[in-house]
Amino acid sequence: MENNLENKVVSMPRIGDAAPEFKAVTTQGDINFPADYKGNWVILFSHPADFTPVCTSEFMTFATMSEKFEKVNTKLVGLSVDGLYSHIAWLRTIKEKIEYKGMKDVEVKFPLIEDITMEVAKKYGMIQPNEDTTKAVRAVFFIDPEGVIRSMIYYPLSLGRNFDELYRVVVALQTADEFGVATPADWYPGDDVIVGPAGSCGTAQERMDDEELDCKDWFFCTKKLDKEKVFDAILKK
Ligand code: BEZ
């Protein structure tokens, strides 16, 4: 898809597309994306700049939650258009000096990509010129174990992300895949899930008669799905 913003053409990947390929240098060594991550879910995310306060609060939050993401088979990969030495100096400063919301001595162990040429940022539509021509916006790509983009969220420079929501998205996507269901508004594990419309899983009458389903009408059926069952299915074995 291409958006023509005041004559500036921006390419944007779409849900369902193969994640654009790239090779990059990161704070954890070189990566070949998405091939190196086959078999894992990945959150590829960009931030506008090193040594900025909102980004600092985000990295501290994400790093603190990284084990939680690891447990649901999800790797984190960050990117900004800064260079490697800036990344290293910023992450060291965070660990040594910054305290935020009870988090301190925070070590960022996931890779942070250097992208001074903006090659990767441009492939992923992270540079949105009407927001800023020289910085990436706060983009988040959820990529499945086959390297397919399954969801994406974009935030402007001024808005720090909600990392509980990013975790909820990863769990909901995996739940949908594992159980062949959809997740309704504000769903959290343990809440009822949506069973697809008639045709996709039985006729309307069969669905209305199914005792496992709670159908309010032919198009709106839910069923129970225990939190334990969700996590049994998606927690890393
Ligand atoms: C920040 O992370 O604080 C920030 C970065 C770029 C523009 C505005 C805020």
Side-chain angles (χ1 to χ4, degrees):
M1 189 177 88
E2 287 191 332
N3 275 346
N4 201 335
L5 296 170
E6 288 182 3
N7 302 324
K8 296 171 200 129
V9 175
V10 181
S11 98
M12 305 277 290
R14 295 160 298 193
I15 291 175
D17 286 357
E21 295 175 356
F22 62 85
K23 290 191 172 130
V25 172
T26 85
T27 50
Q28 304 288 327
D30 295 354
I31 61 170
N32 180 10
F33 196 90
D36 288 349
Y37 292 88
K38 196 166 167 38
N40 293 278
W41 286 80
V42 187
I43 297 181
L44 173 67
F45 68 101
S46 56
H47 70 278
D50 298 344
F51 293 100
T52 52
V54 177
C55 301
T56 298
S57 69
E58 290 192 317
F59 265 67
M60 293 180 75
T61 308
F62 228 173
T64 302
M65 291 174 74
S66 61
E67 268 182 37
K68 199 171 162 180
F69 283 93
E70 187 64 42
K71 282 185 182 151
V72 292
N73 196 29
T74 302
K75 307 273 184 209
L76 311 177
V77 181
L79 174 149
S80 81
V81 302
D82 299 289
L84 184 63
Y85 295 107
S86 164
H87 285 343
I88 292 169
W90 177 47
L91 298 186
R92 188 187 304 141
T93 307
I94 288 177
K95 179 168 164 44
E96 289 174 357
K97 292 201 182 148
I98 310 294
E99 191 171 342
Y100 170 69
K101 281 196 172 171
M103 296 178 279
K104 61 177 184 183
D105 194 26
V106 174
E107 192 169 347
V108 174
K109 294 183 182 152
F110 55 80
L112 175 50
I113 294 168
E114 81 155 2
D115 190 30
I116 33 185
T117 61
M118 298 192 190
E119 189 190 325
V120 181
K122 284 181 180 162
K123 274 190 178 174
Y124 277 83
M126 292 165 171
I127 305 293
Q128 304 206 354
N130 288 341
E131 177 72 346
D132 198 304
T133 51
T134 60
K135 292 181 180 65
V137 295
R138 299 181 199 281
V140 189
F141 290 87
F142 299 84
I143 298 166
D144 75 14
E146 296 305 316
V148 174
I149 295 173
R150 298 291 299 277
S151 184
M152 50 199 185
I153 314 179
Y154 288 88
Y155 299 73
L157 302 191
S158 64
L159 176 59
R161 286 161 276 210
N162 181 319
F163 291 85
D164 289 330
E165 170 62 2
L166 305 191
Y167 181 73
R168 192 187 77 92
V169 171
V170 160
V171 171
L173 289 170
Q174 295 191 38
T175 300
D177 284 3
E178 288 287 337
F179 297 96
V181 296
T183 48
D186 296 333
W187 178 85
Y188 275 95
D191 292 345
D192 293 354
V193 291
I194 302 271
V195 183
S200 61
C201 45
T203 64
Q205 194 56 53
E206 279 165 356
R207 285 152 47 81
M208 294 294 282
D209 293 343
D210 185 334
E211 286 185 358
E212 272 198 6
L213 302 186
D214 178 10
C215 290
K216 304 301 183 204
D217 202 340
W218 62 271
F219 69 94
F220 194 91
C221 297
T222 60
K223 74 171 182 186
K224 302 223 164 299
L225 181 56
D226 293 343
K227 188 173 178 175
E228 293 69 34
K229 249 181 144 179
V230 168
F231 284 107
D232 274 357
I234 68 172
L235 280 180
K236 205 169 169 180
K237 304 287 177 307

PDB file of all heavy atoms in Angstrom, residues 48-49 52-56 132 135 138 157-158, ligand 1:
ATOM      1  N   PRO A  48      11.376   6.973  18.513  1.00  0.00           N
ATOM      2  CA  PRO A  48      11.886   8.138  17.770  1.00  0.00           C
ATOM      3  C   PRO A  48      13.376   8.405  17.937  1.00  0.00           C
ATOM      4  O   PRO A  48      14.057   8.681  16.959  1.00  0.00           O
ATOM      5  CB  PRO A  48      11.067   9.315  18.324  1.00  0.00           C
ATOM      6  CG  PRO A  48       9.841   8.697  18.918  1.00  0.00           C
ATOM      7  CD  PRO A  48      10.239   7.326  19.392  1.00  0.00           C
ATOM      8  N   ALA A  49      13.889   8.331  19.158  1.00  0.00           N
ATOM      9  CA  ALA A  49      15.300   8.700  19.346  1.00  0.00           C
ATOM     10  C   ALA A  49      15.811   8.220  20.694  1.00  0.00           C
ATOM     11  O   ALA A  49      15.067   8.189  21.676  1.00  0.00           O
ATOM     12  CB  ALA A  49      15.457  10.217  19.247  1.00  0.00           C
ATOM     13  N   THR A  52      15.844  10.241  24.901  1.00  0.00           N
ATOM     14  CA  THR A  52      14.627  11.055  25.013  1.00  0.00           C
ATOM     15  C   THR A  52      13.756  10.419  26.104  1.00  0.00           C
ATOM     16  O   THR A  52      13.813   9.202  26.320  1.00  0.00           O
ATOM     17  CB  THR A  52      13.849  11.102  23.676  1.00  0.00           C
ATOM     18  OG1 THR A  52      13.652   9.776  23.216  1.00  0.00           O
ATOM     19  CG2 THR A  52      14.573  11.914  22.631  1.00  0.00           C
ATOM     20  N   PRO A  53      12.978  11.241  26.802  1.00  0.00           N
ATOM     21  CA  PRO A  53      12.340  10.735  28.016  1.00  0.00           C
ATOM     22  C   PRO A  53      11.227   9.712  27.817  1.00  0.00           C
ATOM     23  O   PRO A  53      11.154   8.713  28.553  1.00  0.00           O
ATOM     24  CB  PRO A  53      11.803  12.009  28.685  1.00  0.00           C
ATOM     25  CG  PRO A  53      11.757  13.043  27.620  1.00  0.00           C
ATOM     26  CD  PRO A  53      12.817  12.687  26.620  1.00  0.00           C
ATOM     27  N   VAL A  54      10.326   9.942  26.854  1.00  0.00           N
ATOM     28  CA  VAL A  54       9.227   8.979  26.673  1.00  0.00           C
ATOM     29  C   VAL A  54       9.815   7.621  26.266  1.00  0.00           C
ATOM     30  O   VAL A  54       9.447   6.568  26.806  1.00  0.00           O
ATOM     31  CB  VAL A  54       8.198   9.488  25.630  1.00  0.00           C
ATOM     32  CG1 VAL A  54       7.109   8.442  25.412  1.00  0.00           C
ATOM     33  CG2 VAL A  54       7.586  10.813  26.057  1.00  0.00           C
ATOM     34  N   CYS A  55      10.769   7.657  25.334  1.00  0.00           N
ATOM     35  CA  CYS A  55      11.409   6.408  24.881  1.00  0.00           C
ATOM     36  C   CYS A  55      12.103   5.713  26.047  1.00  0.00           C
ATOM     37  O   CYS A  55      12.072   4.483  26.159  1.00  0.00           O
ATOM     38  CB  CYS A  55      12.440   6.694  23.786  1.00  0.00           C
ATOM     39  SG  CYS A  55      11.736   7.512  22.350  1.00  0.00           S
ATOM     40  N   THR A  56      12.723   6.469  26.920  1.00  0.00           N
ATOM     41  CA  THR A  56      13.398   5.880  28.081  1.00  0.00           C
ATOM     42  C   THR A  56      12.395   5.152  28.962  1.00  0.00           C
ATOM     43  O   THR A  56      12.609   4.007  29.377  1.00  0.00           O
ATOM     44  CB  THR A  56      14.135   6.982  28.873  1.00  0.00           C
ATOM     45  OG1 THR A  56      15.127   7.552  28.011  1.00  0.00           O
ATOM     46  CG2 THR A  56      14.779   6.441  30.130  1.00  0.00           C
ATOM     47  N   ASP A 132       7.173  13.470  11.505  1.00  0.00           N
ATOM     48  CA  ASP A 132       8.576  13.880  11.606  1.00  0.00           C
ATOM     49  C   ASP A 132       9.355  13.230  10.465  1.00  0.00           C
ATOM     50  O   ASP A 132       9.190  12.034  10.223  1.00  0.00           O
ATOM     51  CB  ASP A 132       9.150  13.425  12.962  1.00  0.00           C
ATOM     52  CG  ASP A 132      10.431  14.170  13.316  1.00  0.00           C
ATOM     53  OD1 ASP A 132      11.387  14.147  12.503  1.00  0.00           O
ATOM     54  OD2 ASP A 132      10.483  14.776  14.391  1.00  0.00           O
ATOM     55  N   LYS A 135      12.727  11.188  12.273  1.00  0.00           N
ATOM     56  CA  LYS A 135      12.591  10.237  13.383  1.00  0.00           C
ATOM     57  C   LYS A 135      11.499   9.230  13.039  1.00  0.00           C
ATOM     58  O   LYS A 135      10.528   9.576  12.363  1.00  0.00           O
ATOM     59  CB  LYS A 135      12.137  10.950  14.667  1.00  0.00           C
ATOM     60  CG  LYS A 135      13.145  11.889  15.273  1.00  0.00           C
ATOM     61  CD  LYS A 135      12.554  12.499  16.543  1.00  0.00           C
ATOM     62  CE  LYS A 135      13.516  13.459  17.210  1.00  0.00           C
ATOM     63  NZ  LYS A 135      13.785  14.640  16.385  1.00  0.00           N
ATOM     64  N   ARG A 138       6.304   5.765  16.787  1.00  0.00           N
ATOM     65  CA  ARG A 138       6.298   4.582  17.674  1.00  0.00           C
ATOM     66  C   ARG A 138       5.441   3.499  17.008  1.00  0.00           C
ATOM     67  O   ARG A 138       4.235   3.426  17.238  1.00  0.00           O
ATOM     68  CB  ARG A 138       5.729   4.959  19.048  1.00  0.00           C
ATOM     69  CG  ARG A 138       6.533   6.023  19.744  1.00  0.00           C
ATOM     70  CD  ARG A 138       5.985   6.391  21.106  1.00  0.00           C
ATOM     71  NE  ARG A 138       6.505   7.679  21.503  1.00  0.00           N
ATOM     72  CZ  ARG A 138       7.725   7.887  22.000  1.00  0.00           C
ATOM     73  NH1 ARG A 138       8.528   6.875  22.207  1.00  0.00           N
ATOM     74  NH2 ARG A 138       8.128   9.113  22.299  1.00  0.00           N
ATOM     75  N   LEU A 157       4.752  10.606  18.228  1.00  0.00           N
ATOM     76  CA  LEU A 157       5.947  10.802  19.059  1.00  0.00           C
ATOM     77  C   LEU A 157       5.612  11.085  20.517  1.00  0.00           C
ATOM     78  O   LEU A 157       6.315  10.653  21.425  1.00  0.00           O
ATOM     79  CB  LEU A 157       6.785  11.973  18.515  1.00  0.00           C
ATOM     80  CG  LEU A 157       7.286  11.877  17.072  1.00  0.00           C
ATOM     81  CD1 LEU A 157       8.311  12.969  16.800  1.00  0.00           C
ATOM     82  CD2 LEU A 157       7.881  10.523  16.757  1.00  0.00           C
ATOM     83  N   SER A 158       4.519  11.805  20.738  1.00  0.00           N
ATOM     84  CA  SER A 158       4.248  12.285  22.107  1.00  0.00           C
ATOM     85  C   SER A 158       3.606  11.239  23.016  1.00  0.00           C
ATOM     86  O   SER A 158       3.494  11.452  24.211  1.00  0.00           O
ATOM     87  CB  SER A 158       3.313  13.496  22.035  1.00  0.00           C
ATOM     88  OG  SER A 158       2.069  13.079  21.485  1.00  0.00           O
TER      89      SER A 158
HETATM   90  C1  BEZ B   1      10.473  11.182  23.794  1.00  0.00           C
HETATM   91  O1  BEZ B   1      10.716   9.973  23.709  1.00  0.00           O
HETATM   92  O2  BEZ B   1      10.422  11.750  24.867  1.00  0.00           O
HETATM   93  C2  BEZ B   1      10.257  11.975  22.543  1.00  0.00           C
HETATM   94  C3  BEZ B   1      10.948  11.655  21.395  1.00  0.00           C
HETATM   95  C4  BEZ B   1      10.736  12.401  20.265  1.00  0.00           C
HETATM   96  C5  BEZ B   1       9.847  13.456  20.272  1.00  0.00           C
HETATM   97  C6  BEZ B   1       9.128  13.729  21.420  1.00  0.00           C
HETATM   98  C7  BEZ B   1       9.324  12.985  22.572  1.00  0.00           C
END
